Amino acid sequence: MLLTLPVLLTLPVLLALLTGCAADGPGAPPTGPVSDPVPAPGDTARDELAALAAAARDRHLTARYTLSGTGGPTRDITVTSANDGSWRVDVPGGALGGTADVALAATPAGLFQCALPSAGRPAPATCARLGDRDDTVPRQLDPRVQHPFTDWLTVLTDRRTALSVSAATAPAGVAGRCYAVDTTAASLTPPLDVGIYCFAPDGTLTYVRAALGTLTLAGPPGPAPDTVPLAGPVVAGEPLGQQPAGTSPSPVTT
């Protein structure tokens, strides 16, 4: 059957309408440019800090830091991270109310506190075992200075930790990149001190300002030993607490 002239004239219009509907349907590709999603604010700083903290965990060195802002004189802190993963942090005035020097060390044999000879304790160095290598230093014995070089690096590396991180301006004379670190509302127990953390590109911690005080790298780091030696023999006895001598010590708990 032959189509009439009006129908023939209408067919091109119908075809154009059908083609336009198909192009605008749900399966049609977008006509505008597609851009990558914009990272959420703070993601870049968080990624940078996590990478630097990971480098710090792999960094083996011997370094000296100054500790200030703790209400007493500036002290020299010595940090040793050995090639076998053992570590030691020497803390002058780290026990007995600031009158005794101590060193905390983690070796394959365990976690130790070593009492060092000092004006307040002239006896030879001895060490007390606190637990296994990865155990936590009991709160009553904790000078807290070792944390930025040990377990807090794990916190900074773990992107699942509820932290708020932003870039910060490096203090005068401090090398590396600095970040302001805060905990978020999701953190019931803060996993680290909030504050400013600075790292050199190779992972060397150059500066920390937090509740524990202000730690500043005092000079170029030296080479790491193969392993960390304890300061003295391991003996039976109680480790030195944080309280001044003559006060009743609290039970040691982790």
Side-chain angles (χ1 to χ4, degrees), residues 98-150:
T99 62
D101 301 346
V102 294
L104 292 173
T107 74
L111 178 67
F112 299 89
Q113 184 213 66
C114 298
L116 306 177
S118 60
R121 186 187 176 279
T126 57
C127 299
R129 191 175 188 274
L130 304 181
D132 294 334
R133 175 177 181 159
D134 295 327
D135 284 349
T136 301
V137 177
R139 179 176 55 82
Q140 296 88 340
L141 310 176
D142 191 358
R144 307 187 70 247
V145 182
Q146 79 283 357
H147 291 295
F149 308 98
T150 57

Side-chain angles (χ1 to χ4, degrees), residues 14 16 21 33 36 65 73 76 94 104 106 109 147 159 187 189 197-198 202 211 215-216 231 235-236 244 248:
L14 290 175
C21 292
D36 293 330
Y65 293 80
D76 288 337
L104 292 173
H147 291 295
R159 286 297 309 271
S187 300
T189 302
Y197 293 78
C198 303
D202 62 1
L215 281 165
T216 307
V235 299
S248 299

Side-chain angles (χ1 to χ4, degrees), residues 2-192:
L2 296 175
L3 296 173
T4 63
L5 182 60
V7 173
L8 290 173
L9 294 174
T10 307
L11 282 176
V13 177
L14 290 175
L15 290 174
L17 291 173
L18 290 174
T19 303
C21 292
D24 294 337
T31 57
V34 178
S35 59
D36 293 330
V38 178
D43 280 359
T44 299
R46 185 73 177 93
D47 289 340
E48 290 176 353
L49 180 57
L52 289 170
R57 294 179 64 183
D58 295 332
R59 182 85 164 94
H60 303 301
L61 48 72
T62 301
R64 185 171 61 87
Y65 293 80
T66 58
L67 175 64
S68 60
T70 58
T74 298
R75 292 173 280 170
D76 288 337
I77 307 297
T78 302
V79 177
T80 305
S81 175
N83 294 327
D84 66 351
S86 57
W87 58 264
R88 171 175 160 178
V89 178
D90 290 22
V91 188
L96 300 182
T99 62
D101 301 346
V102 294
L104 292 173
T107 74
L111 178 67
F112 299 89
Q113 184 213 66
C114 298
L116 306 177
S118 60
R121 186 187 176 279
T126 57
C127 299
R129 191 175 188 274
L130 304 181
D132 294 334
R133 175 177 181 159
D134 295 327
D135 284 349
T136 301
V137 177
R139 179 176 55 82
Q140 296 88 340
L141 310 176
D142 191 358
R144 307 187 70 247
V145 182
Q146 79 283 357
H147 291 295
F149 308 98
T150 57
D151 55 306
W152 287 356
L153 293 178
T154 303
V155 174
L156 295 175
T157 303
D158 189 354
R159 286 297 309 271
R160 297 168 298 178
T161 307
L163 297 178
S164 173
V165 178
S166 59
T169 302
V174 173
R177 294 184 176 180
C178 298
Y179 302 87
V181 179
D182 199 354
T183 55
T184 68
S187 300
L188 299 178
T189 302
L192 81 175

